[in-house]
Amino acid sequence: MNTSMSWIKKYVPDLDVSAQEYADAMTLSGTKVEGFEELDKNLDKIVVGEVLSCEDVPDTHLHICKVNVGSEEPLQIVCGAPNVKAGIKVPVVLVGGKVAGTHAGGGAEEGIVIKKGKLRGIESEGMICSIDELGSNSEFYPEADPNGIYIFPEDTEVGADAVELLGLHDSVIEYEITSNRVDCYSVIGIAREAAATFRKEFHPPVIRETGNDEDVHDYVSVEVQNSELCPRFCARVVKNVKIGPSPKWMQRCLASNGIRPINNIVDITNYIMEEYGQPMHSYDYDQIAGHKIVVRTAENGEHFITLDGQDHELDNRVLMICDAEKAVGIAGIMGGENSMITDDVKTVLFEAANFDGTNIRLSSKRLGHQTDASQKFDKGLDPNTAIDAVNRACELMEEFGAGEAVGGCVDVYPVKREPVTLPFEPEKINDLLGTDISEEEMIGYFRLAGLLYDEKDRTVTAPTFRQDIKRTCDLAEEVARFYGYDKIPVTLPGGSGFTGHITEEMRQANLVRDIAENFGFSEGYCYSFESPKVYDKLMLASDDPRRNAIEIRNPLGPDFSIMRTVTWNGLFASLAVNYNKRLKNVRLYELGNVYIPEELPLKTLPDERQKLTLGAYGDYDFFDLKGVLEEIFERFGLAGKASYENTGKLPYMHPGRQAVIKIGDSEIGEIGEVHPSVIKAYGLGAGTVAAVLDMKVLGEQADFNRKYTGLARYPAVSRDLSMIVKKEVTHAEIEKVILQRGGKILEEVSLFDVYEGAPILPGYKSMAYSLRFRSKEKTLEEAEVASAMKKILNGLSGLGAELRS
């Protein structure tokens, strides 16, 4: 959004600040200024001069001009413009003055200093300049000759400030308007903010009542078939129209906003679109069949040619403006070629309507046709502005002598938008801001912002153009921005609960991250969206419940069409990428969610569970990965409580190298070497190992209570135990018996050797353990240790274990 300072001052006449002061203050009060351009930055000592005489220089395109600039003696200036002649009044840059534009001896950034010199040996005491050399162009000054110097009207005063006459003592301000401040997409909205910011009086346009004794309803009727997409439609008629240029002041306003002046009718609609932020459209009344307007949605496959000559194919989601026979415009985007204003127009129909912003945005996107009007409509405009806009257009038409307004207005407005009224709660506002602002001061800020305070009901009412004010926190924002964000003290957040802390689930997630990374794993992030083909790659059975995944209604594609129920695919795919890049040793982990539906189709939210998934290949095996899990269990207070059982239920793991992990009766995870077929499907390296833990179950089983135990005061007694057992007997079974039978004095047990082969009989293996005994109360006696060992051996005999001689 751009505005000129001069246009703002039309509504805030007492505003007397520099562009920099304006930009700083407006930004601090919530209307962010991106930058500004001072139009007269490189213009200095430029006055109106009258060419008294003009003589050609033989064999050149140059002319010797005598120019009266209001001084005692006329100046001699050599000029090469083809349109220079005696009797005209032109902008003259005096010696020592500056112009913009590109010219020998300078650049546009610094401006060009004009010096006294000679051209073809002829003295020249200044410069007669074109509109381009004044920093603009003929697009915004249509009266200017694009190939010559600028010529002022005959009655222009000699010696006057040419820059001021051209409206270039001005600055163009560029704003970044947030989408919730729709009112600031207009000059009036920005001016209202400027008046509040600088504590100046705001003077909105006062619209004079227009219209003859006729009734507009005798001229035109309006039928709105879809009031949801078109909440309001206003129409007025102006007859006896005279097409011509708009006044210079309007042309300058439009030019400062980057809009090219065209003629009085087009300029009026553009001016009001910028002034009120309300797009308008004008139709040739005589081209409206049946003198009836119908607002309807298009038919699928319907074609329409817009003003710019483009043929658009429409569908039934596009809102159209039609007459009794045909479409004449795409609502909120552009009018049609079949009802455009021509020089022969006699009667004009002005339309100011309100359309659903979302529909306009989507229609504009589908048609690939974005206009200034659609960009404003898609923000969601205030329907109450439409009537002011159409009345303003009629007022300007009569003011310019461009036509006669017909009395009355066709106004289809079935459901009126009402202002929002909120309770005034100063204590809550101060609590939100951490301030101690008085009620009177707050009320003063509300009045600055155009909000109405009712002292009796203690309520604040926001006008309908302030669509951003819906609750008390919005009122607090109004107080804060006018009180001054820089004045708000630094305070701690209030409230009864703690703020700024992490949840227990987040703390546990951070703990497993630290453990995994300490073991050399790098974190990966994988998509929660997957393809149903993943289940085939993982060799899940057709009736496996994990195939019951939630389908996405609008997937990015078939490879992202379901919510994952297992995390293996993302990890295996990531490992495969690294393996195919010939990285030898890779360890990855992911903390991500799976989504388990209670039933399909979904009726309730799915069970969203966080899983820790680890995977590695290279110099890493099953037992290395198991060590990482054991460290996690120990840090979670579960040391020695995890059991590993090969149930054969994991189709994606090697049949003989897999285990389901349990804590008591709760299944907490899985570990194993990836199945050769899965390795082949993903392109992984042989011996890839992986594990997964359910963070919810882990958290439920965790015990973070730690009790202090002092350093051992009494010596330990060590015993080694070597036995022969059947190959089917696992370390976990043996360890469990030793721990149960060892009693309180058994401090530690560890496996230090496993052996198979001669002289051990086939089907058996040798396993050797180191046991450490210690009492916290005294030095152990041999008999106590022997008794514990006897109990252990008796327990092991139940597993068929025999001591190795």
Side-chain angles (χ1 to χ4, degrees):
M1 176 71 188
N2 290 357
T3 69
S4 66
M5 286 289 289
S6 60
W7 201 344
I8 295 294
K9 289 177 180 179
K10 284 179 177 290
Y11 315 117
V12 193
D14 296 333
L15 187 63
D16 186 18
V17 292
S18 68
Q20 186 64 61
E21 290 170 335
Y22 177 87
D24 293 343
M26 291 292 282
T27 299
L28 286 174
S29 68
T31 308
K32 184 182 178 185
V33 174
E34 284 285 285
F36 59 87
E37 178 188 3
E38 295 174 307
L39 301 182
D40 58 355
K41 177 182 177 181
N42 296 322
L43 306 179
D44 186 32
K45 296 177 71 174
I46 303 175
V47 299
V48 175
E50 181 181 8
V51 180
L52 302 176
S53 65
C54 181
E55 299 179 6
D56 296 341
V57 178
D59 301 324
T60 71
H61 70 289
L62 300 177
H63 312 278
I64 303 173
C65 301
K66 295 290 185 181
V67 183
N68 174 22
V69 294
S71 56
E72 292 182 2
E73 295 292 333
L75 303 178
Q76 176 172 291
I77 299 176
V78 179
C79 177
N83 62 335
V84 66
K85 60 183 179 180
I88 62 174
K89 293 180 179 178
V90 293
V92 177
V93 189
L94 304 178
V95 173
K98 288 198 303 183
V99 291
T102 55
H103 187 270
E109 191 64 31
E110 308 84 19
I112 304 160
V113 178
I114 302 302
K115 301 177 181 179
K116 186 175 181 179
K118 291 185 178 182
L119 290 174
R120 299 289 181 96
I122 305 169
E123 285 192 359
S124 183
E125 302 174 289
M127 173 183 173
I128 303 174
C129 51
S130 66
I131 196 66
D132 296 79
E133 289 161 330
L134 293 170
S136 189
N137 57 63
S138 58
E139 182 178 8
F140 298 120
Y141 288 79
E143 73 277 12
D145 187 332
N147 301 311
I149 57 174
Y150 184 85
I151 299 175
F152 285 106
E154 293 181 5
D155 58 351
T156 306
E157 179 185 351
V158 172
D161 185 343
V163 177
E164 182 177 355
L165 291 173
L166 289 167
L168 293 173
H169 281 315
D170 202 357
S171 297
V172 176
I173 314 295
E174 179 186 358
Y175 308 87
E176 179 186 328
I177 306 297
T178 54
S179 57
N180 66 320
R181 289 304 305 271
V182 182
D183 57 303
C184 288
Y185 284 95
S186 66
V187 180
I188 288 177
I190 295 291
R192 187 184 292 111
E193 288 294 304
T197 299
F198 292 97
R199 311 304 196 260
K200 301 294 184 181
E201 190 172 350
F202 173 58
H203 297 269
V206 178
I207 302 173
R208 177 178 54 84
E209 185 177 346
T210 57
N212 57 22
D213 295 334
E214 298 177 278
D215 187 350
V216 70
H217 294 86
D218 296 333
Y219 280 77
V220 67
S221 62
V222 176
E223 177 188 350
V224 177
Q225 296 181 358
N226 192 328
S227 59
E228 289 186 5
L229 298 184
C230 179
R232 189 175 196 181
F233 194 102
C234 300
R236 290 197 66 177
V237 173
V238 177
K239 65 180 188 178
N240 301 327
V241 172
K242 300 173 184 176
I243 298 290
S246 56
K248 289 288 188 292
W249 66 263
M250 179 173 281
Q251 292 185 29
R252 300 296 175 260
C253 285
L254 293 175
S256 67
N257 275 32
I259 298 175
R260 180 170 61 90
I262 298 175
N263 60 47
N264 48 12
I265 295 179
V266 176
D267 290 356
I268 284 172
T269 57
N270 285 334
Y271 180 84
I272 292 171
M273 180 174 67
E274 296 301 304
E275 184 179 43
Y276 280 89
Q278 169 67 53
M280 289 187 60
H281 193 70
S282 55
Y283 301 93
D284 186 337
Y285 174 78
D286 294 323
Q287 300 299 319
I288 303 297
H291 296 160
K292 180 179 182 180
I293 293 293
V294 179
V295 183
R296 62 165 176 85
T297 51
E299 302 288 340
N300 287 323
E302 182 178 346
H303 282 261
F304 183 74
I305 299 175
T306 47
L307 277 169
D308 56 0
Q310 292 191 38
D311 187 351
H312 298 276
E313 182 175 347
L314 313 173
D315 59 36
N316 60 7
R317 294 170 292 180
V318 179
L319 192 65
M320 302 297 294
I321 310 298
C322 310
D323 60 21
E325 300 174 355
K326 62 187 180 299
V328 294
I330 303 177
I333 299 176
M334 185 174 280
E337 195 176 51
N338 54 11
S339 62
M340 63 186 295
I341 299 294
T342 65
D343 291 342
D344 299 325
V345 67
K346 301 299 181 185
T347 306
V348 169
L349 173 66
F350 280 118
E351 163 218 311
N354 184 263
F355 303 113
D356 177 72
T358 301
N359 178 264
I360 298 300
R361 182 173 64 254
L362 295 177
S363 296
S364 176
K365 186 176 181 181
R366 283 195 299 273
L367 298 175
H369 205 85
Q370 191 176 62
T371 61
D372 290 340
S374 69
Q375 286 179 316
K376 291 186 183 295
F377 273 123
D378 68 23
K379 306 294 189 298
L381 301 182
D382 176 17
N384 292 327
T385 305
I387 189 68
D388 289 338
V390 74
N391 287 338
R392 176 74 161 148
C394 292
E395 178 193 34
L396 291 172
M397 286 289 287
E398 290 194 349
E399 181 181 321
F400 298 167
E404 177 187 355
V406 173
C409 174
V410 178
D411 187 3
V412 181
Y413 194 13
V415 181
K416 185 177 180 181
R417 178 175 292 179
E418 300 293 343
V420 173
T421 298
L422 300 170
F424 178 45
E425 301 172 302
E427 299 83 4
K428 185 179 289 188
I429 291 174
N430 275 323
D431 286 345
L432 283 169
L433 300 179
T435 55
D436 187 20
I437 302 172
S438 67
E439 290 188 20
E440 292 74 18
E441 196 172 355
M442 290 184 187
I443 294 167
Y445 295 142
F446 294 149
R447 289 184 176 131
L448 283 175
L451 311 182
L452 303 177
Y453 173 66
D454 188 314
E455 186 175 358
K456 179 181 177 182
D457 296 334
R458 287 184 64 79
T459 58
V460 179
T461 300
T464 53
F465 61 77
R466 287 300 304 271
Q467 300 178 45
D468 58 309
I469 297 181
K470 299 176 181 178
R471 48 187 68 90
T472 298
C473 60
D474 300 321
L475 295 179
E477 183 180 3
E478 295 302 296
V479 171
R481 66 195 189 97
F482 291 119
Y483 175 72
Y485 291 113
D486 55 324
K487 297 179 184 177
I488 295 177
V490 177
T491 57
L492 290 173
S496 57
F498 293 105
T499 58
H501 69 290
I502 63 173
T503 64
E504 180 61 22
E505 290 78 11
M506 294 168 66
R507 190 178 72 83
Q508 293 176 12
N510 288 339
L511 178 57
V512 296
R513 274 195 186 93
D514 290 342
I515 295 170
E517 290 169 6
N518 287 339
F519 276 92
F521 284 77
S522 298
E523 185 171 11
Y525 290 92
C526 304
Y527 287 116
S528 294
F529 307 146
E530 290 186 334
S531 166
K533 297 177 182 178
V534 165
Y535 302 129
D536 296 329
K537 293 174 74 174
L538 294 174
M539 302 193 301
L540 294 183
S542 59
D543 60 347
D544 193 304
R546 287 171 289 188
R547 284 183 177 265
N548 297 326
I550 302 166
E551 294 186 5
I552 300 168
R553 286 184 179 177
N554 55 341
L556 297 173
D559 291 339
F560 304 95
S561 60
I562 61 170
M563 302 296 289
R564 66 179 179 180
T565 57
V566 292
T567 55
W568 297 120
N569 176 66
L571 186 76
F572 291 166
S574 299
L575 288 171
V577 169
N578 286 274
Y579 181 76
N580 292 323
K581 289 184 177 180
R582 303 184 183 277
L583 298 175
K584 293 183 179 180
N585 296 289
V586 174
R587 305 172 196 176
L588 295 178
Y589 79 93
E590 182 203 4
L591 268 170
N593 293 348
V594 294
Y595 306 85
I596 312 298
E598 290 187 9
E599 58 179 328
L600 292 175
L602 274 182
K603 294 182 180 178
T604 59
L605 291 176
D607 182 8
E608 191 171 337
R609 285 179 173 258
Q610 189 178 51
K611 301 273 188 172
L612 169 68
T613 314
L614 304 107
Y617 67 79
D619 298 335
Y620 215 74
D621 61 17
F622 178 96
F623 296 103
D624 291 322
L625 188 57
K626 181 172 178 283
V628 178
L629 301 185
E630 291 295 336
E631 176 67 16
I632 292 173
F633 295 146
E634 183 175 342
R635 297 283 292 277
F636 276 72
L638 300 172
K641 295 184 179 181
S643 63
Y644 300 81
E645 181 182 353
N646 187 347
T647 61
K649 295 193 305 182
L650 311 179
Y652 35 80
M653 295 297 183
H654 191 290
R657 302 167 192 166
Q658 60 169 267
V660 172
I661 310 168
K662 290 185 176 181
I663 303 276
D665 295 330
S666 300
E667 189 172 306
I668 195 172
E670 302 167 358
I671 184 173
E673 184 177 303
V674 181
H675 195 287
S677 297
V678 177
I679 284 177
K680 183 178 179 182
Y682 280 94
L684 290 165
T688 299
V689 292
V692 65
L693 292 179
D694 189 315
M695 291 298 296
K696 183 178 180 180
V697 178
L698 181 63
E700 291 171 347
Q701 298 291 331
D703 181 7
F704 292 103
N705 292 323
R706 296 288 189 269
K707 293 183 179 179
Y708 169 77
T709 54
L711 296 174
R713 298 175 60 188
Y714 302 99
V717 177
S718 296
R719 293 287 188 270
D720 289 343
L721 183 63
S722 180
M723 69 194 83
I724 296 174
V725 296
K726 291 182 179 181
K727 290 181 65 175
E728 298 82 43
V729 178
T730 64
H731 159 68
E733 292 174 309
I734 296 172
E735 185 181 50
K736 183 178 181 180
V737 170
I738 294 174
L739 290 171
Q740 287 177 345
R741 297 277 181 150
K744 294 182 179 180
I745 63 172
L746 179 61
E747 187 176 69
E748 184 181 347
V749 57
S750 61
L751 174 70
F752 67 85
D753 183 61
V754 179
Y755 174 73
E756 294 181 43
I760 307 299
L761 295 175
Y764 288 84
K765 60 185 176 182
S766 171
M767 300 184 74
Y769 289 83
S770 176
L771 286 69
R772 188 170 67 209
F773 298 90
R774 190 196 308 266
S775 171
K776 297 179 181 179
E777 301 168 353
K778 63 176 183 174
T779 300
L780 289 173
E781 296 180 2
E782 178 60 29
E784 293 174 294
V785 176
S787 175
M789 287 296 295
K790 184 177 181 179
K791 291 178 182 179
I792 290 170
L793 292 173
N794 288 338
L796 291 173
S797 64
L799 297 176
E802 295 181 6
L803 286 178
R804 186 176 179 186
S805 58

